[in-house]
Amino acid sequence: MDKKGFISIENLFSIFIMIIIAFSLLFFTLTSIESVNNIENNVQHRLILDKVASLISQVNAHGAGYSMYLKLDSKPGYYEITVEKNKLTMEFLNKKGETLILPIKIDSKYKLHGGKSYIVSKNDEGSIVIQ
């Protein structure tokens, strides 16, 4: 501004450019934060799925009558794990994740819900049972 209170075109243009840069940086920062949150959420669910697959494999590796306690974490929100034949499928936030497990004899289809506890055991016929 000069002594009379007028703003020159150069000053007005530079203020406009600074506002555009500030909004661009704000948009980029918000997008990056949202992306990090999505990645963290997906990794958390993948770790839970791998934990369940590992536990089922451990039970299968031992003899009949062996069992292990499985507590599913409720922290990442609601999710459901479907156990069938040689595949685990997790559904969460309209997303789906799958992992394969060694050829294991699972006769029934089980639905496991986040925040609940289960007992995974191997019966006398060699089948995996989840209660």
Side-chain angles (χ1 to χ4, degrees), residues 44-45 48-49 51-52 69-83 89-93 110-118:
Q44 235 175 359
H45 285 93
I48 291 170
L49 194 60
K51 174 186 162 188
V52 173
Y69 178 76
L70 171 65
K71 169 120 176 70
L72 295 177
D73 192 13
S74 62
K75 182 182 176 193
Y78 177 78
Y79 59 90
E80 181 179 89
I81 299 175
T82 305
V83 181
T89 306
M90 177 185 265
E91 296 180 23
F92 61 97
L93 301 173
Y110 298 101
K111 296 232 183 232
L112 311 177
H113 301 281
K116 296 193 177 183
S117 299
Y118 300 93

Side-chain angles (χ1 to χ4, degrees), residues 7-129:
I7 297 177
S8 68
I9 295 293
E10 293 89 19
N11 288 343
L12 190 61
F13 184 69
S14 63
I15 290 172
F16 179 70
I17 294 296
M18 285 192 298
I19 289 173
I20 289 175
I21 291 172
F23 278 123
S24 299
L25 287 175
L26 181 65
F27 176 76
F28 176 73
T29 303
L30 291 176
T31 303
S32 297
I33 290 172
E34 184 178 329
S35 177
V36 166
N37 287 338
N38 281 339
I39 290 171
E40 179 184 0
N41 195 16
N42 290 341
V43 166
Q44 235 175 359
H45 285 93
R46 172 53 71 186
L47 289 174
I48 291 170
L49 194 60
D50 289 343
K51 174 186 162 188
V52 173
S54 174
L55 189 131
I56 291 173
S57 293
Q58 286 178 17
V59 170
N60 187 54
H62 289 80
Y66 186 79
S67 65
M68 290 183 78
Y69 178 76
L70 171 65
K71 169 120 176 70
L72 295 177
D73 192 13
S74 62
K75 182 182 176 193
Y78 177 78
Y79 59 90
E80 181 179 89
I81 299 175
T82 305
V83 181
E84 58 182 331
K85 297 190 181 181
N86 65 342
K87 180 172 67 170
L88 297 177
T89 306
M90 177 185 265
E91 296 180 23
F92 61 97
L93 301 173
N94 294 328
K95 296 179 185 176
K96 193 180 245 188
E98 291 184 353
T99 190
L100 297 175
I101 48 181
L102 295 173
I104 294 177
K105 188 176 178 183
I106 299 177
D107 295 334
S108 298
K109 183 176 181 179
Y110 298 101
K111 296 232 183 232
L112 311 177
H113 301 281
K116 296 193 177 183
S117 299
Y118 300 93
I119 295 177
V120 180
S121 60
K122 190 171 185 177
N123 64 15
D124 293 334
E125 290 88 36
S127 295
I128 299 294
V129 178

